[in-house]
Each structure stands twice: as structure tokens, then as C-alpha cells.
């Protein structure tokens, strides 16, 4: 098509009523992980020797697994014996400390290289988990990496997202999507964005305007009764388990010995909401530390 005709068509489309419009969300909460912060204000380091999904790690609150460093929240996976587990690692959540319903959540982090058995994740669950259990609480997985389907040269480009729900574990339902990105997402910091509203969920990587994951959450759909309420945020590095398909500690080559560690470094996490719909509850808020240019987010 002639470029002048194309430009005229685009202008006409932009002027037509009834087409979807980009929405501007305003920053309502942020954690910048500054050195002066107390990690425990907004986060709890989970301690459990019995993680789900046949995972092989013991989650601890030791500084060797969870700490602040150089303006980042750092989660560290290690090969070390603790209890009956061959590995230790870090998991944090904002349950009872930072919760919100709908909006945009964005986070900039550097995940570890997953090849050989690691499973890093950035996700959310409903804040009624302690009352109704999982999956009744609902779960929104914004990013998880390390699935066995990514093996064979695509490990650094492969990741997925999902929605989980159900009345109880016997009636667990979900939909998910995995794909291979054109470039590595394990070679440095990347920004993952989730747009979540009463109708849908959309997830984006970096500056891409096309979502890598979409899901229908509108009234009448199966997940709708489980996902429209306040949620809290989670980060973790699992070792082995069902997702990587590795259940034998000797097969975890990502952590070959006690001298090797793998880190997930979270630079920041932010929540944006539409004006008049602000509902974040938080202990500490760093939004005043965020540059003016990043105080709003225009959803694609």
C-alpha cells in the first residue's frame, strides 16, 4: 500500500468512535528496594521444608537466600543440605502487607539462568488464600521460566504465564501459554508488565506492544469468580520439581556444587491504577522515589 494512503487510513481509524483506546494508569505504589528500606515492611521471607510441586529446595529466611543488596531484592539458590533437602533458596510474598485489586503491575528483574533445573517466577495470589486455600484463592502467573519444554537450546528465551483457579485442588483448572522469545530474557534486566482488569489479563515484555499472554476474565467465564479481589505479589526461585521435570538432585546441573549460586535480582516493582480506582494497601510506599517520567503508564 502507498505510504501516504496508509497514513491516511491510520489517521481515519484513530478518529473513529468506539475503537479501543489506550488508558493511562497512575503510579500508586512502588518498592524500590533502597538500602535504607526494611525488607520486612512489605515482604515476608517464606520458610518451609515442604514446597509444593515436588520441588527440591528448602525455602529459608537466611540472608544467604534472601537479602537486600545494591538497591535490589536478591533471592539466591544454593546447593547445600538442609533438613531432607539438597538445596536452599528464597521466596518472598507481600501477603497481608501489600495487596491490590486490578491495575498494572510492573517489575524489573534479572532472573537466573534456568538451564539445568531452576524455576524462577513472578506471580500473584488472592489474599484470601489462608481462608479458602489454593486454587480457590486464584493465581495469576506473570512470568515463570525453566520449563522442560524449553530444553534444547531455547532455555534463555523460553517462559510462560498462566491463570489458575478452582473450588478446591480436586477441581483445579487453568489456562497457560508458553513461547520462545526472539532474544534472551536471562542475560540482564528485563521488565515484565501485567495489565489486569475486570475483563482480562495481558502480559508484556520490555517495550513490546504485543502481549505474550492474554486471558479472558470477564463475567461468566470460569475464572471470573476467583480472580477479581485483592491479590498479593510473590517472587521465588524453585529448584527442580514438576515444571522443570527434574526430581533428582543429581540432575540439577545449574547448581553443580556448593560453590555455585544462582540469583534473582529484583530492581523494583510498581503498581499503577486508573484514577478513581486506587485501592492499594501497603505498609511502605516508595512511589515518591520513582522518576516523574515513570509516574504514569499507558497501557497498549
Amino acid at each position: 500500500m502507498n505510504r501516504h494512503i496508509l497514513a491516511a487510513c491510520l489517521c481515519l481509524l484513530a478518529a473513529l468512535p468506539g475503537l479501543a483506546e489506550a488508558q493511562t494508569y497512575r503510579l500508586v505504589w512502588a518498592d524500590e528496594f533502597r538500602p535504607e528500606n526494611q525488607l520486612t515492611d512489605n515482604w515476608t521471607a517464606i520458610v518451609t521444608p515442604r514446597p509444593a510441586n515436588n520441588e527440591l529446595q528448602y525455602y529459608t529466611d537466611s540472608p544467604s537466600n534472601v537479602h537486600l543488596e545494591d538497591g535490589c531484592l536478591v533471592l539466591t539458590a544454593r546447593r547445600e543440605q538442609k533438613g531432607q533437602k539438597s538445596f536452599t533458596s528464597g521466596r518472598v510474598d507481600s501477603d497481608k502487607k501489600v495487596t491490590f485489586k486490578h491495575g498494572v503491575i510492573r517489575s524489573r528483574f534479572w532472573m537466573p539462568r534456568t538451564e539445568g533445573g531452576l524455576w524462577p517466577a513472578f506471580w500473584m495470589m488472592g489474599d484470601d488464600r489462608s481462608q479458602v486455600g489454593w486454587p480457590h484463592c486464584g493465581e495469576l502467573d506473570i512470568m515463570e521460566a525453566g520449563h522442560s519444554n524449553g530444553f534444547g537450546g531455547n532455555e534463555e528465551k523460553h517462559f510462560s504465564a498462566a491463570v489458575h483457579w478452582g473450588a478446591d485442588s480436586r477441581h483445579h483448572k487453568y489456562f497457560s501459554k508458553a513461547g520462545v522469545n526472539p532474544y534472551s530474557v536471562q542475560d540482564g534486566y528485563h521488565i515484565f508488565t501485567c495489565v489486569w482488569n475486570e475483563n482480562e489479563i495481558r502480559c508484556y515484555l520490555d517495550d513490546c506492544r504485543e502481549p505474550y499472554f492474554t486471558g479472558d476474565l470477564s463475567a461468566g467465564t470460569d475464572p471470573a469468580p476467583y480472580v477479581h479481589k485483592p491479590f498479593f505479589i510473590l517472587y521465588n526461585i524453585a529448584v527442580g520439581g514438576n515444571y522443570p521435570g527434574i526430581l533428582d538432585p543429581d540432575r540439577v546441573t545449574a547448581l553443580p556444587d556448593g560453590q555455585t549460586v544462582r540469583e534473582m535480582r529484583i530492581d523494583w516493582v510498581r503498581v499503577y491504577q486508573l484514577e478513581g480506582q486506587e485501592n492499594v494497601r501497603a505498609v511502605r510506599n516508595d512511589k515518591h522515589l520513582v522518576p516523574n517520567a515513570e509516574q504514569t503508564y499507558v497501557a497498549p
Side-chain angles (χ1 to χ4, degrees), residues 68-286:
L68 295 180
E69 177 182 290
D70 298 330
C72 291
L73 165 60
V74 183
L75 307 180
T76 305
R78 302 172 179 272
R79 183 181 285 269
E80 60 178 351
Q81 194 73 30
K82 185 172 178 63
Q84 300 300 309
K85 298 294 186 179
S86 299
F87 306 92
T88 63
S89 191
R91 169 172 167 164
V92 299
D93 70 41
S94 69
D95 191 16
K96 307 298 185 293
K97 295 181 177 181
V98 181
T99 62
F100 67 101
K101 175 186 174 182
H102 297 157
V104 175
I105 178 171
R106 311 190 76 206
S107 186
R108 181 177 187 265
F109 55 87
W110 188 335
M111 75 176 81
R113 294 192 181 275
T114 57
E115 182 178 7
L118 296 190
W119 177 9
F122 166 43
W123 50 305
M124 300 191 291
M125 284 200 288
D127 74 346
D128 57 353
R129 179 187 58 171
S130 59
Q131 288 78 46
V132 302
W134 182 93
H136 196 289
C137 64
E139 177 180 326
L140 303 175
D141 297 332
I142 302 170
M143 188 291 307
E144 50 188 342
H147 194 278
S148 57
N149 288 345
F151 293 175
N154 290 318
E155 292 86 354
E156 294 183 26
K157 301 176 181 179
H158 187 277
F159 61 93
S160 64
V163 177
H164 296 262
W165 71 93
D168 53 51
S169 58
R170 293 175 300 166
H171 300 91
H172 168 223
K173 297 181 180 181
Y174 73 97
F175 56 79
S176 64
K177 180 181 178 181
V180 178
N181 197 54
Y183 57 87
S184 173
V185 294
Q186 300 178 13
D187 61 347
Y189 287 99
H190 294 276
I191 298 174
F192 289 85
T193 300
C194 174
V195 179
W196 165 43
N197 58 43
E198 66 276 7
N199 293 316
E200 63 182 346
I201 179 175
R202 306 193 309 272
C203 297
Y204 300 86
L205 171 65
D206 294 330
D207 296 323
C208 184
R209 307 302 284 178
E210 291 295 325
Y212 62 81
F213 177 74
T214 62
D216 186 359
L217 306 179
S218 59
T221 61
D222 278 358
Y226 303 93
V227 297
H228 297 304
K229 56 189 171 186
F231 270 54
F232 63 90
I233 308 162
L234 304 95
Y235 295 94
N236 66 278
I237 307 175
V239 182
N242 298 338
Y243 190 83
I246 295 178
L247 307 180
D248 180 352
D250 291 338
R251 292 183 55 212
V252 179
T253 57
L255 298 167
D257 52 50
Q259 306 305 312
T260 304
V261 301
R262 294 289 179 95
E263 295 180 341
M264 184 174 186
R265 303 183 72 89
I266 300 102
D267 184 22
W268 48 255
V269 55
R270 301 166 183 169
V271 173
Y272 298 75
Q273 293 182 316
L274 296 172
E275 189 171 2
Q277 297 184 12
E278 301 90 341
N279 58 42
V280 170
R281 295 184 178 183
V283 176
R284 191 194 68 250
N285 196 337
D286 288 346

